[in-house]
Amino acid sequence: MAQPDTKKIFFENLSGAGKAIAVLTSGGDAQGMNAAVRAVVRMGLYVGAKVYFIHEGYQGMVDGGENIREAKWESVSSMLQVGGTVIGSARCKDFRTHEGRLKAALNLVQRGITNLCVIGGDGSLTGANLFREEWSGLLAELVEQGALEADAVQQYSALHIVGMVGSIDNDFCGTDMTIGTDSALHRIIEVVDAIMTTAQSHQRTFVLEVMGRHCGYLALVSALACGADWVLIPEMPPEDGWEEKMCQKLSANRAGMKRLNIIIVAEGAIDRNNKPITTDYIKDLVVKCLGFDTRVTILGHVQRGGTPSAFDRILASRIGVEAVLALLETTANTPACVVSLVGNQSVRVPLMECVQMTQEVQKAMDGKRFEEAVKLRGRSFENNLKTYKLLAHRKPESELPVSNFNVAVLNVGAPAAGMNAAVRSAVRVGISEGHKMFAVSDGFEGFSKGQIREFKWADVGGWTGQGGSLLGTKRTLPAKHVEKIAEQMRKHNINALLIIGGFEAFESLLQLFEARGTYEEFCIPMCMLPSTISNNIPGTDLSIGADTALNAIVETCDRIKQSASGTKRRVFIIETMGGYCGYLATVGGLAAGADAAYIYEEPFDIRDLQANVEHLTEKMKTSIQRGLVLRNENSSENYTTDFIYQLYSEEGKGVFDCRKNVLGHMQQGGAPSPFDRNFGTKISAKAMQWITKKLTETFRQGRVFANTEDTCCLLGMRRRALVFQPVVQLTDDTDFVHRIPKEQWWLKLRPLMKILAKYKTSYDVSDSGQLEHVVHNRPKELDASVAM
């Protein structure tokens, strides 16, 4: 299925000829910075600009000399998978002075640089904006001193700044996620998962300190991802007397046969009087009050280290390209902007608006206006906090509402990491809403056999970090067993249904909707959560499980490429899963730095294969030592992985040799990534709240009766919003033969992947170029909140 031709603006209309762009990383390092640097360099060169590295951040700009070097295409090879920043970062006192900025201006003008990409935190970006505002005055001063010719002021009259936020803390307003945050969460969750095994062995309590001096994002999201017993963050200090409540909860959990307790503390955690809460204080408290064996682990700079996650590589690559486009389009009157992520879309927002709102958060915290601080952090942060409270703190039975509704949850299709987190969330939110929650084993096949049992709060403890499907899942569709399923629904008085799964789950919901005409048992609210590594469900940009699969692909590609270091030139042909959907091959290719990715949606023939081989051969003759080619498993019936491997082997003789790998089911296995744990948790909670609302609306004369389209929905992410969509309205958007949506957003990323691999291609920029203002709280209908 080829991409439709549309009359859109392509970036060929934007020329970088004669322009010079410099890129620097400043402040603390963050995983993914190198991916952003790589994207800026290659996109800049692609549009014909000169691109420069500024080594050691602002210090390098002030010192000049060898710190400012021209970048070539090959300069950024093999840096995508490297953590930290290879061009260096440093705190710079000199740049804070007028004299320092004067030196920096001279160093830039001497090289003709008037376009600056700054990757850093709010301090680095604020400094860049001040530099921009002072620019004309600095040049005039340099002319007075005789350091510059007078015509230089006219020639280099304006400095253009575009920022990208690199910070593991995710403490910058105006973006849902900053570069490095997802990777830091990976490090934290890896440690927590490891600690959980030893804590269970010895019945221990662990107190973990994570980074976040002024922002509790890492602590909050990691607590949500691992089901921590207690979390302490600076934005929302605990109420007075929290010590007793925490000890009561730990004691109750241990009495409920839970062998471990996890307490996560942000390093900047405070109480209501702005007094720091330390890990040692908590440890002493638990030992004194409960006598539990308690250990402290301070993660420290482990969180900043390691290879960047797939999410961070893709995020950094997308906004790096967008930053170059923003610089090409900017004028003297354009305010300095930050390229950020909102939902699933990169946008441009005024830099100083973001900085001012970020500073407002700290002011609110200093003034003990904690509710305001949480709101200023953004709707994603606010929703994370609400969801954590909902799932971690069980209300006493006497305080729970009584709904008398029975809700069943089941998994359908192939297993996907994150399914268990979604089931846990559904069960606990359902219980909090007053429902009885029933879990169905082995999908609709198990449903027809009566494999249904009530789940209590404790039954789903520890599920968030488990891979696969603990309920069991089958691909069987309900039409085959519809009468027996209806009988079981009558027997257990099921009033609502939550289905978590892939394309089979989507087809199942359509069949159940059709069955309403014959069986009244299906005239109930029904909702589906997309969960499949293939990410091939209509009505959603992202599915639970796809992020974990991408990380498995990228990690494997990194290892495979590393295996060729020190050997002669080599090309790897990698086959990914995905059915007919090329999402994993395309986005995995972008994150792993692939030279090509073959997919069903973009037909290719022998001429394309030949052109790709020739392109790779030319690169191999220069300095590229390793090549990577991904192929989606069903991309072509005839151009198989073996065929492509043999073709590349034959045509590359004398220049490179080939190896092939079929990744197979390793893409489905393993512990879920932090993204999938939290995505599954949050959309499941949202789905259960929708089910409660529909149950209330459709309860008439002592029974639930729901037969309208809007009571049988799929909850999906569309660009910036989480949307409930009637499944029957999605049928026209679906290619049922190939089990994919007819339109897929990620196809727009394919030209980006090709550009970064040095191909000449068109890049659609129709979504770019709009500067948006930062708002304190987006309307609820724009509540994407899934960027974690």
Side-chain angles (χ1 to χ4, degrees):
M1 187 188 303
Q3 274 183 279
D5 291 326
T6 52
K7 293 181 180 177
K8 292 180 177 175
I9 307 165
F10 291 103
F11 92 100
E12 286 98 327
N13 300 329
L14 301 169
S15 173
K19 293 195 175 185
I21 298 171
V23 58
L24 73 146
T25 54
S26 176
D29 63 306
Q31 307 98 318
M33 279 184 164
N34 291 324
V37 170
R38 172 179 178 267
V40 169
V41 169
R42 292 197 166 175
M43 190 65 176
L45 293 173
Y46 197 80
V47 297
K50 269 192 172 184
V51 185
Y52 291 85
F53 292 135
I54 299 179
H55 291 266
E56 310 306 333
Y58 286 117
Q59 192 65 56
M61 194 190 296
V62 172
D63 294 343
E66 282 298 301
N67 289 304
I68 306 175
R69 299 180 212 159
E70 190 173 348
K72 302 297 182 185
W73 191 274
E74 294 76 19
S75 305
V76 291
S77 295
S78 302
M79 68 190 292
L80 189 61
Q81 67 272 23
V82 179
T85 165
V86 297
I87 60 173
S89 181
R91 310 283 180 187
C92 180
K93 290 181 180 177
D94 292 342
F95 192 74
R96 295 177 186 173
T97 67
H98 181 77
E99 292 74 17
R101 292 193 291 276
L102 199 63
K103 288 180 184 177
L106 179 61
N107 287 327
L108 293 187
V109 171
Q110 285 175 339
R111 295 163 178 80
I113 299 168
T114 56
N115 297 280
L116 212 53
C117 278
V118 180
I119 308 167
D122 60 336
S124 304
L125 299 179
T126 303
N129 191 64
L130 175 63
F131 191 41
R132 171 183 170 274
E133 289 174 346
E134 290 183 346
W135 181 257
S136 57
L138 293 171
L139 294 198
E141 200 172 328
L142 288 167
V143 171
E144 280 180 28
Q145 294 175 1
L148 280 183
E149 298 293 329
D151 61 354
V153 176
Q154 184 67 31
Q155 188 178 354
Y156 305 113
S157 58
L159 178 68
H160 305 300
I161 301 282
V162 172
M164 290 175 274
V165 191
S167 166
I168 68 167
D169 292 336
N170 202 30
D171 57 353
F172 194 80
C173 295
T175 183
D176 286 349
M177 283 287 275
T178 57
I179 297 169
T181 304
D182 185 67
S183 300
L185 284 168
H186 273 258
R187 300 295 94 77
I188 294 168
I189 294 304
E190 284 164 12
V191 171
V192 172
D193 285 352
I195 280 175
M196 278 180 151
T197 56
T198 183
Q200 282 180 325
S201 301
H202 298 278
Q203 284 196 308
R204 280 182 179 148
T205 296
F206 269 88
V207 184
L208 271 77
E209 181 185 286
V210 301
M211 283 185 167
R213 272 179 302 164
H214 306 294
C215 179
Y217 186 87
L218 289 177
L220 178 57
V221 174
S222 55
L224 196 56
C226 71
D229 298 272
W230 204 267
V231 65
L232 293 155
I233 59 173
E235 291 88 347
M236 185 53 70
E239 300 287 346
D240 292 341
W242 63 272
E243 293 95 337
E244 186 181 346
K245 288 180 182 176
M246 185 186 76
C247 288
Q248 285 174 352
K249 181 162 191 266
L250 298 179
S251 181
N253 284 348
R254 193 64 67 88
M257 302 305 291
K258 186 175 180 182
R259 292 181 59 84
L260 77 155
N261 302 112
I262 300 285
I263 301 165
I264 296 184
V265 188
E267 62 179 325
I270 52 175
D271 64 16
R272 292 269 155 176
N273 299 308
N274 284 337
K275 181 185 173 185
I277 300 174
T278 66
T279 51
D280 285 336
Y281 175 74
I282 295 168
K283 176 190 174 181
D284 293 343
L285 178 71
V286 174
V287 172
K288 180 182 174 183
C289 296
L290 301 174
F292 290 173
D293 184 2
T294 305
R295 306 296 168 93
V296 170
T297 299
I298 297 173
L299 269 63
H301 282 74
V302 165
Q303 296 156 87
R304 287 193 188 279
T307 186
S309 66
F311 183 98
D312 272 329
R313 299 185 198 193
I314 297 157
L315 169 65
S317 298
R318 288 176 69 183
I319 67 175
V321 166
E322 183 70 21
V324 173
L325 295 176
L327 284 173
L328 295 181
E329 294 171 3
T330 194
T331 66
N333 299 320
T334 308
C337 74
V338 171
V339 182
S340 67
L341 181 79
V342 178
N344 192 32
Q345 193 175 10
S346 57
V347 298
R348 303 174 194 174
V349 285
L351 188 155
M352 289 315 294
E353 284 186 20
C354 298
V355 169
Q356 284 159 11
M357 189 178 288
T358 303
Q359 291 169 349
E360 281 180 42
V361 178
Q362 191 59 49
K363 287 176 185 174
M365 288 160 60
D366 292 342
K368 300 183 182 180
R369 302 189 308 276
F370 299 114
E371 296 283 350
E372 184 184 338
V374 169
K375 287 187 181 298
L376 287 168
R377 279 281 180 231
R379 194 171 291 279
S380 178
F381 188 95
E382 194 177 2
N383 278 357
N384 280 323
L385 186 57
K386 285 178 181 175
T387 307
Y388 175 77
K389 288 178 177 177
L390 198 61
L391 297 174
H393 302 292
R394 185 183 183 186
K395 292 179 181 177
E397 296 285 342
S398 57
E399 293 181 24
L400 291 175
V402 180
S403 72
N404 294 319
F405 292 126
N406 295 343
V407 181
V409 57
L410 69 159
N411 295 335
V412 177
M419 275 183 164
N420 297 320
V423 172
R424 170 185 176 269
S425 179
V427 169
R428 292 197 168 178
V429 174
I431 290 171
S432 297
E433 302 270 337
H435 309 316
K436 275 189 177 181
M437 296 301 299
F438 289 83
V440 182
S441 299
D442 296 336
F444 283 108
E445 196 172 308
F447 211 143
S448 67
K449 296 174 182 176
Q451 294 172 207
I452 306 164
R453 69 183 181 96
E454 186 180 351
F455 262 35
K456 300 291 187 181
W457 187 276
D459 291 333
V460 289
W463 277 37
T464 51
Q466 300 291 316
S469 167
L470 294 174
L471 285 183
T473 182
K474 294 276 179 76
R475 295 180 182 271
T476 309
L477 299 180
K480 188 177 176 183
H481 307 287
V482 68
E483 190 174 336
K484 289 182 179 178
I485 294 168
E487 184 184 320
Q488 291 296 333
M489 292 184 76
R490 269 196 313 276
K491 181 179 174 182
H492 292 89
N493 190 27
I494 301 299
N495 306 118
L497 207 56
L498 179 66
I499 304 171
I500 303 164
F503 202 87
E504 291 88 354
F506 174 64
E507 290 179 302
S508 297
L509 209 50
L510 285 170
Q511 290 181 2
L512 295 181
F513 181 80
E514 289 296 318
R516 280 177 168 179
T518 310
Y519 299 95
E520 282 194 1
E521 288 80 4
F522 301 116
C523 293
I524 58 172
M526 295 186 283
C527 185
M528 176 200 161
L529 302 180
S531 180
T532 167
I533 69 165
S534 302
N535 198 33
N536 63 331
I537 310 298
T540 188
D541 291 351
L542 297 171
S543 299
I544 301 165
D547 183 73
T548 305
L550 277 176
N551 277 288
I553 291 167
V554 169
E555 189 178 323
T556 306
C557 287
D558 285 352
R559 291 184 181 183
I560 286 170
K561 287 201 295 185
Q562 191 181 47
S563 72
S565 59
T567 66
K568 59 183 178 179
R569 296 182 176 93
R570 183 165 287 170
V571 174
F572 296 95
I573 315 295
I574 311 290
E575 180 182 296
T576 66
M577 293 175 83
Y580 286 95
C581 180
Y583 175 80
L584 290 179
T586 295
V587 183
L590 178 61
D595 296 277
Y598 299 114
I599 62 170
Y600 166 77
E601 292 91 342
E602 194 174 280
F604 57 96
D605 57 25
I606 194 67
R607 289 177 292 276
D608 297 313
L609 290 168
Q610 184 64 32
N612 292 154
V613 173
E614 289 171 0
H615 180 81
L616 200 48
T617 303
E618 284 303 308
K619 288 207 295 184
M620 286 283 184
K621 284 178 180 176
T622 54
S623 62
I624 305 297
Q625 297 296 312
R626 288 160 286 178
L628 183 66
V629 174
L630 271 61
R631 176 188 176 273
N632 169 242
E633 58 184 348
N634 288 346
S635 56
S636 170
E637 189 178 344
N638 295 311
Y639 300 127
T640 62
T641 302
D642 282 336
F643 178 90
I644 292 173
Y645 162 69
Q646 289 167 3
L647 176 70
Y648 272 72
S649 297
E650 183 64 30
E651 297 298 318
K653 272 184 181 174
V655 180
F656 60 81
D657 66 356
C658 269
R659 296 290 186 273
K660 66 173 178 177
N661 272 79
V662 178
L663 300 186
H665 283 77
M666 65 169 291
Q667 296 158 84
Q668 274 185 323
S673 68
F675 185 96
D676 279 329
R677 296 184 195 201
N678 287 291
F679 187 33
T681 296
K682 291 205 288 188
I683 68 168
S684 189
K686 194 174 182 76
M688 284 306 303
Q689 289 164 343
W690 177 87
I691 282 173
T692 298
K693 181 171 174 261
K694 291 297 177 185
L695 282 169
T696 306
E697 289 174 356
T698 58
F699 185 71
R700 298 287 182 275
Q701 299 176 339
R703 59 171 291 195
V704 173
F705 187 81
N707 65 348
T708 55
E709 289 182 359
D710 66 345
T711 59
C712 184
C713 286
L714 177 147
L715 174 56
M717 182 191 177
R718 304 301 292 265
R719 290 166 70 88
R720 305 190 195 187
L722 282 172
V723 187
F724 289 95
Q725 302 145 98
V727 286
V728 290
Q729 293 179 15
L730 295 172
T731 54
D732 290 341
D733 301 332
T734 308
D735 175 355
F736 284 94
V737 175
H738 299 100
R739 297 157 60 89
I740 54 174
K742 289 179 180 175
E743 289 189 17
Q744 302 185 86
W745 69 273
W746 52 264
L747 286 168
K748 286 186 176 182
L749 299 181
R750 286 187 63 75
L752 192 153
M753 182 191 73
K754 292 175 183 177
I755 286 168
L756 297 179
K758 215 173 183 178
Y759 283 90
K760 288 290 178 187
T761 187
S762 296
Y763 182 55
D764 181 0
V765 295
S766 58
D767 288 338
S768 300
Q770 295 137 11
L771 193 68
E772 301 185 7
H773 291 285
V774 183
V775 288
H776 282 247
N777 259 323
R778 296 188 187 93
K780 285 191 177 178
E781 61 269 18
L782 294 183
D783 174 20
S785 307
V786 295
M788 284 291 198

